[in-house]
Amino acid sequence: MTHFEYRNGEMHAEGVALSRIAEVAETPVYVYSAGALAEAYTRFSSALSTADLNARVCYAMKANSNIAVIRTLADLGAGADVVSGGELERALAAGVSGPDIVFSGVGKTPGEMRQAIAAEIGQFNVESIPELEMLSHVATSMGATVDIAIRVNPDVDANTHHKISTGRQEDKFGIDIARAGDIYARAAELPSIAPVSIAVHIGSQLTDVAPFRAAFARVAELTRELRAAGHNIGKLDLGGGLGIDYGRQTPPPVEDYVAVVAETVGDLECELMFEPGRYLAGPAGILMTQVIYAKEAEARRFAIVDAAMNDLIRPALYDAVHRIETVREPATDGALQDWDVVGPVCETGDTFAKGCQLPALSEGALLVMRDAGAYGAVMSSVYNSRALVAEVLVHDDSFAVVRARQEPATFMGYETLADWQN
Ligand code: LLP
């Protein structure tokens, strides 16, 4: 079932007409479907249980950290993968319990470590020796012992956009897998540290299982080596990264991904952890925008819309393409035209799509950009002193504004003139 589809000539999110949401929440606005979140979560977790894997899913909140979205997933049983003290606060506020939280990231500060230890989180994924030593120091000062994984870098190219590839030797993430034996030996000596797990994450938006297979096979080999050296490795955190179809990709079905997991690490009797972000949240959201002006220039036709690169930066940053459709259903026999869909920000990079096939557009027409539920609102900014975009969650026939639009005056309220300027 698709949760964003035309009904009675108009695109709906579940049972709610998008024009109703535009009236109440104005545009631009992100709209999420609770049903789509639940469906993706269930598909992911059922594939794991069907394969008889002892697994848990810790949603990578960086994809979409709205507390209503986290709560939707937590209600289904998801834990959380956090990368900052702020995300930790959000996970707790959304009702995720401490032990269901894993803390990833290359630069955890001592303050964030204290905050996470106080929340009794389940696991730290440690990415360097200085971080390991700092964590030992902080945990000892709090009289706690913490479960850790070392995030290993398996030197596998994920074949994805270079800005979101993380598992090659030149990337800043993790510890070279060849050095892992020494690092675990060091971890085992340190006070207040229990090295119980291995973590790996090689990149995001993977559309092929081969890099996963290569990385997980190396992790399996390392597990055997570490066990032989006397370490009690009972858990593996296999990260996230499974891609979605933005319109031109053919990502593997989750069952194929799970088959690779079973094939590579299935016989190790480890508790497995997964950190999907995009797979769960991406297809569950759209960005709705309105045409401000339809500008017919010499060479091209521009739809200038009220969303901009500050609201959805993926096209500008990664050359990402999000399918664009009209909220009003196009006539089946209607002619389509080439449109460049652009925002109002003063940069040529503020372009969502070129030569997009759409029906004739005029001012006021509503458009949606699909698959914007992950890395959309979380990466939004107030560049050009634009408002911070609002977010709406839909469930069946109901919808709620789950983040209010924040107007420029709110931000300006945090600014002051320097005392010598008064
Ligand atoms: N775990 C770790 C340690 C990660 O670094 C990430 C994503 C994930 C899990 C979740 O990966 P996913 O399942 O969502 O692929 N802003 C970029 C994506 C950055 C991904 C960063 N790390 C984009 O818009 O494509």
Side-chain angles (χ1 to χ4, degrees), residues 26-31 286-293 302-316 322-325 340-353 364-370 372 376-377 380-390 405:
E26 299 178 24
T27 54
V29 59
Y30 279 93
V31 181
I286 54 113
L287 174 60
M288 177 162 51
T289 184
Q290 189 164 22
V291 176
I292 309 174
Y293 298 115
F302 293 99
I304 301 167
V305 299
D306 65 3
M309 62 190 288
N310 68 299
D311 304 305
L312 176 64
I313 203 175
R314 302 194 68 258
H322 288 259
R323 279 177 295 159
I324 301 181
E325 292 165 10
D340 288 2
V341 179
V342 301
V345 161
C346 306
E347 291 197 28
T348 306
D350 188 22
T351 296
F352 290 112
L366 292 170
L367 302 176
V368 302
M369 302 188 200
R370 287 226 180 222
S380 62
S381 73
V382 296
Y383 184 41
N384 274 210
S385 284
R386 291 168 47 84
L388 189 67
V389 63
R405 179 182 321 284

